Every structure is written in structure tokens, then in C-alpha cells.
Amino acid sequence: MRSLLSLCVLGVLCGESRAQTVAVYPPDISLETARDRQSFVVQLTQPDGITRDVTAQAQVAFANPALVRLDKAVVYPVADGVTEMTVTLGAQVVKVPVKVLRAKEDQPISFKQDVMPVFMRAGCNVGGCHGAARGKDGFRLSLFGFDPEGDHYRLTRELNGRRVNLAIPADSLLIDKATGKVPHTGGKKVSEGDEYYQAMIRWLEADAPLDAPTVTLPVSMEVFPPSAVLDGKGEKQRIVVRAKYSDGTDRDVTSLALFLTNNENSAKIDGNGDVAAGERGESFVMARFHTFTIGVPFITLPKALQFVWPNSPEANYVDTGVNNKLKKLRIEPSGVCSDEVFVRRVYLDVIGQLPTPEEYARFMVSTLPDKRTLLVDELLDRKEFAELWVLKWAELLQIRSSNQVSYKSMLLYYNWLQDKIARNVPTDEWVKELLGANGGTFKNPVTNYYQLETDVLKVTENVAQVFMGMRVQCAQCHNHPFDRWTQDDYYGFAAFFTQIGRKAGDDPRELIVFNSGGGEVNHPVRGRPMPAKFLGGTAPADVAGKDRRVVLANWLASPENPYFAKNLSNIVWAHFFGQGIINEVDDVRISNPASNQELLDELGKRFTGYKYDFKKLVRDICTSQTYQRSTQPTKTNESDTRNFARGPIRRIRAETMLDLITQVTDTKNKFQGLPNGARAVQIADGGVTTYFLTTFGRPTRETVCSCEVRLEPTLSQSLHLLNGGTVEPKIAQGGLVAKMLQEKKTPPQIIEHLYVRCLSRAPTAAEMKTLTDMVTANPNKQQALEDVFWAIMNSREFMFNH
């Protein structure tokens, strides 16, 4: 099989050498000390985008073979110096620089560098084993190694040191348990003589030292190759992991990394980093080492799949980003939706209303080639657009009255937000004003943000989740198991909010929020005060004498923060497609990758370039061909749910649904604190609700989680629409059918009007005949037509945006 693959690869290369590329990973090799080594992979990328691991077929040579030793795609140091590795595959040649330093020096054993990774790799410190809160079988390690000093103490000092035997290291209980010589609930974890066994023995032979505080630790990690497209089940690709350390050195940690995949059905990875292709699909293969988790995308295609891209038109960069991904996946996008579908879809998405029959007719008769773009521009200027996004932000900011926040304060806060959105104030400006707010909750209503939640750690988590999409709650107690966040990151970020002061105002109902100038947060393990540090960024140069929240706000809502623009772009995208490019939108983590990272990066870049004017971002999305695609699947995209190859079918949220029912029946609603006829999306207070809104999943705004908006259909919803006090009573209350009968309109005319009013389309010939026959057969024409009205409003076509 290997020789056959060699012939195939060489044949392809000879035929189309210019169109194919060969890459070697990592692109450079640096070896320090005698025990260092570096494995590498050679990846071929074919003209059709398929990649192959051709490491075994490549020829490898060194300019100075006296400096290194090669053994099965692993380079070992022999002597100090600089050389070059030449990798040849067919007609293609790749050169890799190689540097060797201190080749005869033996690196001292390190507990943090060499032993702790063994516990991670073997699964000893996971939640189901010794990393559990109470440990396992009387022995506890810190979860995922967040407390190495504590782990060292428990290994060497706890129970009078019974777990280690420094006189005879091989007889240590630690070794006996790991090798399975004595009963061990976790089973055999290492084999006698392997590198993990040797690392622990070397550490014990050195008297089990704890590293000095100055020990070098990893500062970054790389995973190679950066991506792969595998041709059919059974194809293989090896992964190489390299860590870079604080002293400028690097290390091949492939054998120490813990490997994971988010889709084993598509790509399965073993403990050695070998990926095996499975069924067609997309997966994200991850490597975890130290506090880093890095992932790379893998695509698995059916063997020898024949595919021709249909040259789908592109209106802007949104289409380019989506189509580039679809090409890789060999997925054909659906065609453009009809005008009837588009006009209903865009009205619902942009202003939360249906087009009136007059608006529908005006759009349908227009012959302008850019009428869809013109309609988007028109809708963006309507006040209903702002009202819809005020609702969205009011949920994220948890605007509601409570024992802490009076109704007056809440309403002033809501009005502040409404003013910002209505005037299209750049998002970064009002976010900075919000996070750095000081003053009275009446005089400066935005300060209510710090009254709705007063717990420092909860405020920390909310800011990270809303404005950066990060759920950092895990890092409060231990390093995040599936992301980069450590306890240091968590409490360093919390330090920005520890100096918030609160006091009573002249009005007993008003509270004053101010910068107290004092107050720190201590690390729960080390007990030392944590300096303020941006989440995912550096520490600010100087916060002495400054309001830390202002310092944070100026960084968070700026291009210096790589997460802000992309997170808000993802929130906007999710509104129009029913799911984010990262989904859920507030669960951004390495183990929950973007379905299209290049597209998300470009959206964030454009949003930043627009000076955070999100109307422009909405316009880009709504005028794209991607947004305007039909919901009808093609043969290749019918099973796709993540790559936006066709228009999504989405449940309409509670407030909009109630507004639509009210709109089409020509009735009015009365909500607490609002005038008669107000829309449900205008309700300011998260605590105000109705039976309909509660049944259909309106959020209570008690948390910032996107999961509070519930869109799952339930039996209660169906029963309420069929028999409850909303649809049928409103049909009777509005009297729309009776009014049209008085105007001498015929049943077919009334049926067509109801279809256009509710569904933004005329009935088909078959629908018209069936309904006309039913109405004609009923002596009570008004009752029959109202039954038609009721049936349309209870149809899935009315209840969904499509």
C-alpha cells in the first residue's frame, strides 16, 4: 500500500507539479540539549485541495549529517551547529533550517516541565480521577494541574511521603500504581521503560525536587499541520505539537500532549497524534498541553468525490467567505430565494414586522435591478430597526426592575440605551461609557449596570461573556479544561472591578456608583493580590490612581482587543441566520470553534473599519447572496447545518410573534408601563411579561446567557395558538374579515388578502380552489373566512421565518 501511494503521489506530481504544493511542519527545527528532539510531517496539497500525509514517501537529507540523527521522521541532536534539512517529493524540494545547541548537555529534570505533563497525558488529574474535588481513593491532584505546588506537596509530603520512595525510586507507590503492579482503580497508565516512566524515575532519583520560581514555562503552543482535507475513510494525517518557552527555546511535546476531537465520526485521533478519517464531515482536532489548548480543522470527504463548483454569484465579502468554505467541503449552495420569500424574511429580520399588503405590492411590482438593496436601506432607517436591537441589548445587559433597581432607575437606563441605538452611536463609544460609568443611578442612568449586579466576580463573568463571548466561569475554581483561561487570567480580569464604590444619594431611591480607589482580589490558591490584566491580552502599563474600569473599557472596546468586534459581529450574524458562526454566540472557546474562522475574522475586521457602526454590518449581511439563499436544499447541502449553504428556517421569537399576530389581526396590546398599542418588543422591564410571552420563551433577563431566549417549540405553544386567548379572540376583535365583506370583496379576494397579509405571498391555484370551495359550501361566509384566517395563522409557514 505504501509503495502504491508513493507511485500515485509521484505520478500526480509529475503530471501537475506546478499546481501542487508540499509543506514541511514545523517550518524550522531548533534542538537544545541532549534529550531534545523534533518530529516533523510532510503534507502534500493537491490541486483540488485534498491533502495527504506523505512523510513516509519523502526523501530527507541534511547539509551536515554530522550534527543530527534521523529516525522515523524524528530529528535528534548530535553536535552543535547550524545545518539545513532538505525534503524532496517528486520534483518539489523544501528546505528547513536546523539549529543545534548544547547537544552534549543533559537538561535537568523538571517537575513542572516533565512530570506534570505525564499526569495530564495519562488522565490522572481529570475530574473523573484524582482531579475530582475530593480526589480518588484518598489521593487528590489539582484539576488539570492548575496547582503544581500543591500537587508536589501531596505527592511528596502528604501521608508522611508514602507515595514516593527516594531510596528505591522504582519501588515508589506512585510508580507501582501507574504501572499496574499494585491494584489501581485507573488501571495501568504507563509501561515500564517508556518515556513517561523514565521521566518519573529521573525525578525521583533527583530527590523529587520542586522547581525554582524562575523555571521556564511554556508561553505558546503550535499544532501542525494547520489544516487537512482528507480523501475518504481511512486516510491518515499525523499531528505534531511544539511548545515555546519563556527562555526562547522550544520543545516537541507531541508525546506529552493530550489529544481530543469534537467529532469522532469524522476524524478520530489516537494518543500518538495520528488522525484517521471517518465519515464525511468536519471536525476540530485539539491538542492540550500545560494551559494551552490549540485546535486545527479537519475535513473528511467521500473517497474520490467528483464535484464541480457552480460558480455561485458573490455580492460582497460575506459570499466570498462562505463560498470559499463550501468549496472546501464540496457543497453546492442553494439558489437565490424568490422576491416573496425575501420581502417577508427581510422585514421580519430587520424590523420585526411583516410587510403590509401595500408594502408587499410596491416591492413586487418594482422592476429596479437593485430593489432588494434599496429595501434593506429603507428598513435600516425605520425606528422599528432600533427597537429590535434595543430589545436585544436590553437582554444582554439584563435591564429589569428588582429590589436593587427601582422601576424609575430601570426605565431611565432603558431610555439611555434606546437613545444610543436610535441615534446609531458607534457601539464602542456607548460600551466605553457603560463600563466606565460613575454617578447617580438617576442622573447618569447607565450606572445601573453596576447595580443590577453587585458581585465582583459575577460582574467579571458578565463583561467577559457579553462583550467578548467568553464563558470564563470555570477558571474561578481551576484552569479551564477546554480553553486557554487560567485562574491567573480570571482573577487578573476581576481586578478591574474590585474598586467599584456604592453609596446612597440625596434621594433615598438613588444610589451613587463611584471609583473607590481601593480594593483588591486575591488568588484563591496563592493568596496574593492579583494585578489587573486584560483577558487574553497584556497587563495595562499603569493603573495607579486611575479608574480601572475606564482603563479596561478603553482596551475592551478597541481594535487592541481581538475579541470585541468579532464577538459583536457573531451576535449580529446569529440574529439573521439563527445560529452564530461560533454557536452559541457567548460560548467562544477553543473546543467550540467557528464554523468559518476566515469569515468571522473578516466580519470583525469590517466592523472595526466601519468604526463600530453595526448598521453597515447589517447591510453587508442582508445584501449578500448568502442571506438571500432559498431554504430548499441541494443534493450536497441537505445535511449541512453549519456552513450557511442554504437559507435557515427559524422560529420567530416570542415578542415578535405576538407583534405579528397583533399586526395581521389589526388589533392592539396593552403592556404595563406602555401606552395602548405598543409593541411587545418595546417592553422595557425584563420582569414584565404575559402568558403568551412566557409560553413562547421570552427571557427573564436574570442571566446574560443567550440560552435565556428559548425558541424550542412546545406542546403548550401549539395548544395556546389553537385554543388559547390570543389568535381566535384577536381575529374577532380586529373584525378584519367582516370589514372586507362590508366592502363587498369576494371570498377569493379576501383569501388572497389574508395570504399576502400573513405569508407575503398569494395562494397557489390548488390552495385557492380548496379554500374557495370550503367557503362557498358554508352558508356563514364570515365564519368560514375567519376559519381560513385562523388556519393560516396556525400554519408553520406563518410561525417560522424562512
Side-chain angles (χ1 to χ4, degrees):
M1 289 298 292
R2 179 173 295 176
S3 59
L4 178 60
L5 177 58
S6 273
L7 291 173
C8 292
V9 170
L10 290 173
V12 171
L13 282 170
C14 292
E16 297 185 52
S17 59
R18 293 182 183 177
Q20 303 194 53
T21 59
V22 172
V24 179
Y25 300 104
D28 57 79
I29 295 176
S30 179
L31 302 173
E32 298 95 2
T33 71
R35 293 182 184 272
D36 202 0
R37 66 188 180 213
Q38 182 61 63
S39 56
F40 63 89
V41 292
V42 185
Q43 187 184 57
L44 168 73
T45 302
Q46 299 178 175
D48 59 0
I50 296 290
T51 63
R52 297 186 186 279
D53 187 338
V54 292
T55 309
Q57 289 75 49
Q59 302 297 314
V60 181
F62 293 91
N64 186 353
L67 300 184
V68 295
R69 175 172 61 90
L70 179 66
D71 183 16
K72 297 179 181 178
V74 182
V75 183
Y76 296 89
V78 174
D80 291 1
V82 176
T83 185
E84 193 172 57
M85 182 174 76
T86 302
V87 179
T88 306
L89 186 73
Q92 299 206 34
V93 177
V94 179
K95 295 183 179 296
V96 178
V98 179
K99 179 173 64 175
V100 183
L101 298 172
R102 297 176 290 157
K104 303 301 183 183
E105 180 182 325
D106 191 8
Q107 181 80 6
I109 190 72
S110 164
F111 180 70
K112 293 182 180 179
Q113 290 183 356
D114 302 311
V115 179
M116 287 292 292
V118 173
F119 298 147
M120 172 74 77
R121 166 84 178 201
C124 303
N125 57 14
V126 299
C129 197
H130 298 294
R134 295 181 179 273
K136 192 81 168 179
D137 296 337
F139 177 44
R140 184 173 71 86
L141 290 169
S142 61
L143 186 64
F144 303 109
F146 72 86
D147 180 20
E149 288 82 3
D151 290 342
H152 183 273
Y153 172 83
R154 287 182 281 272
L155 281 165
T156 62
R157 299 289 185 268
E158 198 172 64
L159 299 180
N160 297 319
R162 70 181 293 266
R163 296 187 176 102
V164 298
N165 184 343
L166 301 184
I168 310 175
D171 285 345
S172 297
L173 182 62
L174 170 67
I175 300 298
D176 288 343
K177 288 274 191 178
T179 56
K181 289 183 178 179
V182 299
H184 181 216
T185 303
K188 183 178 179 180
K189 291 299 183 182
V190 301
S191 297
E192 190 168 344
D194 69 16
E195 66 172 295
Y196 313 112
Y197 176 89
Q198 291 174 0
M200 291 191 290
I201 290 293
R202 285 183 63 217
W203 176 66
L204 291 168
E205 288 176 342
D207 291 336
L210 177 63
D211 298 319
T214 56
V215 65
T216 58
L217 294 175
V219 293
S220 65
M221 190 175 84
E222 303 167 293
V223 178
F224 303 106
S227 63
V229 180
L230 304 180
D231 185 28
K233 190 172 183 178
E235 284 292 311
K236 298 291 183 67
Q237 174 65 62
R238 191 163 58 90
I239 294 291
V240 171
V241 186
R242 183 169 71 173
K244 294 195 174 183
Y245 287 76
S246 54
D247 62 353
T249 62
D250 61 46
R251 181 182 182 186
D252 184 342
V253 295
T254 307
S255 62
L256 294 174
L258 179 65
F259 294 104
L260 308 163
T261 176
N262 71 342
N263 183 3
E264 283 201 352
N265 187 53
S266 177
K268 193 170 185 177
I269 187 167
D270 65 16
N272 298 318
D274 292 321
V275 179
E279 302 301 325
R280 180 176 187 168
E282 187 176 10
S283 58
F284 202 67
V285 175
M286 294 164 280
R288 181 175 177 86
F289 176 75
H290 192 58
T291 61
F292 302 100
T293 303
I294 304 293
V296 293
F298 271 66
I299 293 172
T300 300
L301 300 174
K303 189 74 174 179
L305 175 66
Q306 299 299 310
F307 177 80
V308 179
W309 178 252
N311 291 322
S312 179
E314 296 178 359
N316 56 31
Y317 66 90
V318 171
D319 298 323
T320 302
V322 172
N323 288 351
N324 286 344
K325 181 65 181 294
L326 295 179
K327 290 175 188 176
K328 291 180 182 179
L329 294 168
R330 311 306 196 258
I331 291 177
E332 178 186 358
S334 297
V336 176
C337 67
S338 65
D339 280 347
E340 292 92 341
V341 170
F342 175 77
V343 69
R344 185 178 191 270
R345 181 186 297 176
V346 77
Y347 264 82
L348 284 174
D349 282 338
V350 178
I351 66 172
Q353 289 186 339
L354 289 168
T356 65
E358 294 74 23
E359 290 168 335
Y360 166 83
R362 184 188 66 186
F363 179 78
M364 294 302 295
V365 300
S366 174
T367 57
L368 294 173
D370 59 345
K371 68 178 184 178
R372 295 191 179 190
T373 300
L374 292 173
L375 178 58
V376 171
D377 291 337
E378 175 189 326
L379 295 176
L380 287 174
D381 286 334
R382 289 182 51 165
K383 71 178 184 64
E384 292 90 349
F385 169 76
E387 291 170 351
L388 205 58
W389 282 96
V390 171
L391 170 69
K392 179 81 70 175
W393 275 108
E395 292 168 0
L396 294 174
L397 301 180
Q398 299 177 272
I399 297 180
R400 70 189 190 282
S401 59
S402 64
N403 293 332
Q404 290 175 266
V405 178
S406 67
Y407 185 85
K408 177 181 178 180
S409 294
M410 178 281 304
L411 190 58
L412 290 170
Y413 183 19
Y414 180 88
N415 290 339
W416 172 88
L417 177 64
Q418 188 174 48
D419 173 69
K420 298 297 181 184
I421 304 296
R423 292 192 296 111
N424 199 33
V425 174
T427 310
D428 65 322
E429 290 185 19
W430 66 258
V431 168
K432 289 177 182 178
E433 183 179 341
L434 179 141
L435 294 179
N438 287 301
T441 52
F442 288 174
K443 295 175 183 176
N444 188 19
V446 68
T447 55
N448 282 287
Y449 181 74
Y450 293 109
Q451 286 304 116
L452 286 163
E453 182 56 69
T454 57
D455 181 83
V456 169
L457 297 185
K458 195 64 180 176
V459 170
T460 301
E461 295 166 2
N462 288 351
V463 170
Q465 190 163 341
V466 171
F467 299 109
M468 298 173 67
M470 311 288 190
R471 296 181 183 178
V472 298
Q473 291 88 333
C474 283
Q476 179 181 349
C477 301
H478 52 76
N479 294 345
H480 200 296
F482 304 116
D483 211 341
R484 59 178 294 186
W485 310 122
T486 65
Q487 282 189 303
D488 287 356
D489 293 320
Y490 181 93
Y491 289 98
F493 195 59
F496 286 106
F497 304 101
T498 57
Q499 298 183 347
I500 302 172
R502 298 174 179 85
K503 63 183 179 181
D506 295 335
D507 187 324
R509 298 172 300 168
E510 184 178 29
L511 291 169
I512 309 298
V513 174
F514 64 99
N515 176 37
S516 68
E520 303 295 341
V521 61
N522 293 329
H523 194 288
V525 175
R526 300 174 181 87
R528 58 182 173 84
M530 291 298 296
K533 183 176 179 292
F534 301 131
L535 191 62
T538 59
D542 182 23
V543 295
K546 299 178 181 177
D547 189 331
R548 292 181 184 177
R549 292 174 298 133
V550 174
V551 174
L552 171 67
N554 289 334
W555 169 83
L556 186 142
S558 76
E560 294 178 36
N561 175 12
Y563 306 106
F564 179 70
K566 285 190 282 192
N567 176 54
L568 298 191
S569 299
N570 194 40
I571 290 173
V572 173
W573 183 274
H575 173 79
F576 290 96
F577 289 91
Q579 65 174 335
I581 299 172
I582 297 176
N583 200 56
E584 297 285 338
V585 295
D586 57 359
D587 193 14
V588 177
R589 52 185 159 85
I590 291 166
S591 52
N592 182 33
S595 62
N596 191 328
Q597 188 62 54
E598 291 76 13
L599 173 62
L600 184 59
D601 291 342
E602 186 63 24
L603 287 167
K605 178 181 175 183
R606 298 282 179 148
F607 188 36
T608 302
Y610 292 154
K611 306 298 183 185
Y612 303 100
D613 180 347
F614 89 106
K615 270 191 178 183
K616 293 182 179 179
L617 193 67
V618 170
R619 186 182 191 276
D620 287 348
I621 292 173
C622 292
T623 56
S624 70
Q625 294 291 299
T626 301
Y627 175 74
Q628 298 176 32
R629 281 178 179 148
S630 168
T631 58
Q632 297 301 312
T634 64
K635 288 183 179 179
T636 58
N637 74 27
E638 58 187 354
S639 62
D640 177 65
T641 59
R642 286 175 47 84
N643 296 287
F644 314 106
R646 63 179 188 273
I649 298 175
R650 293 162 286 148
R651 265 287 310 277
I652 297 171
R653 56 174 298 150
E655 296 91 339
T656 303
M657 190 67 197
L658 181 56
D659 287 339
L660 297 187
I661 293 172
T662 303
Q663 178 190 355
V664 298
T665 56
D666 200 17
T667 56
K668 294 181 179 180
N669 289 315
K670 179 66 177 75
F671 303 109
Q672 179 183 329
L674 291 173
N676 191 36
R679 301 169 69 204
V681 299
Q682 295 174 305
I683 300 174
D685 190 351
V688 172
T689 189
T690 66
Y691 179 80
F692 182 94
L693 295 176
T694 300
T695 301
F696 278 78
R698 181 176 189 263
T700 60
R701 303 181 188 172
E702 293 178 358
T703 72
V704 299
C705 184
S706 62
C707 59
E708 275 218 353
V709 179
R710 300 188 307 278
L711 297 176
E712 300 81 10
T714 66
L715 179 60
S716 297
Q717 294 168 5
S718 298
L719 291 175
H720 184 71
L721 290 174
L722 290 168
N723 306 308
T726 301
V727 175
E728 189 170 357
K730 280 185 173 291
I731 291 174
Q733 181 186 344
L736 192 64
V737 171
K739 194 181 301 180
M740 287 189 285
L741 287 172
Q742 290 174 2
E743 294 170 355
K744 305 302 183 185
K745 290 187 176 179
T746 64
Q749 289 175 321
I750 294 174
I751 291 170
E752 181 171 352
H753 179 87
L754 294 176
Y755 262 77
V756 170
R757 193 177 187 90
C758 297
L759 308 178
S760 301
R761 69 171 177 88
T764 64
E767 289 170 334
M768 178 62 82
K769 182 179 187 308
T770 299
L771 295 175
T772 302
D773 290 347
M774 184 194 76
V775 173
T776 302
N778 193 326
N780 188 338
K781 297 295 185 289
Q782 178 176 332
Q783 181 62 53
L785 289 167
E786 287 181 349
D787 286 346
V788 171
F789 198 1
W790 176 89
I792 293 173
M793 291 174 63
N794 273 284
S795 67
R796 285 180 293 178
E797 190 174 352
F798 176 74
M799 291 185 283
F800 285 79
N801 194 358
H802 45 81

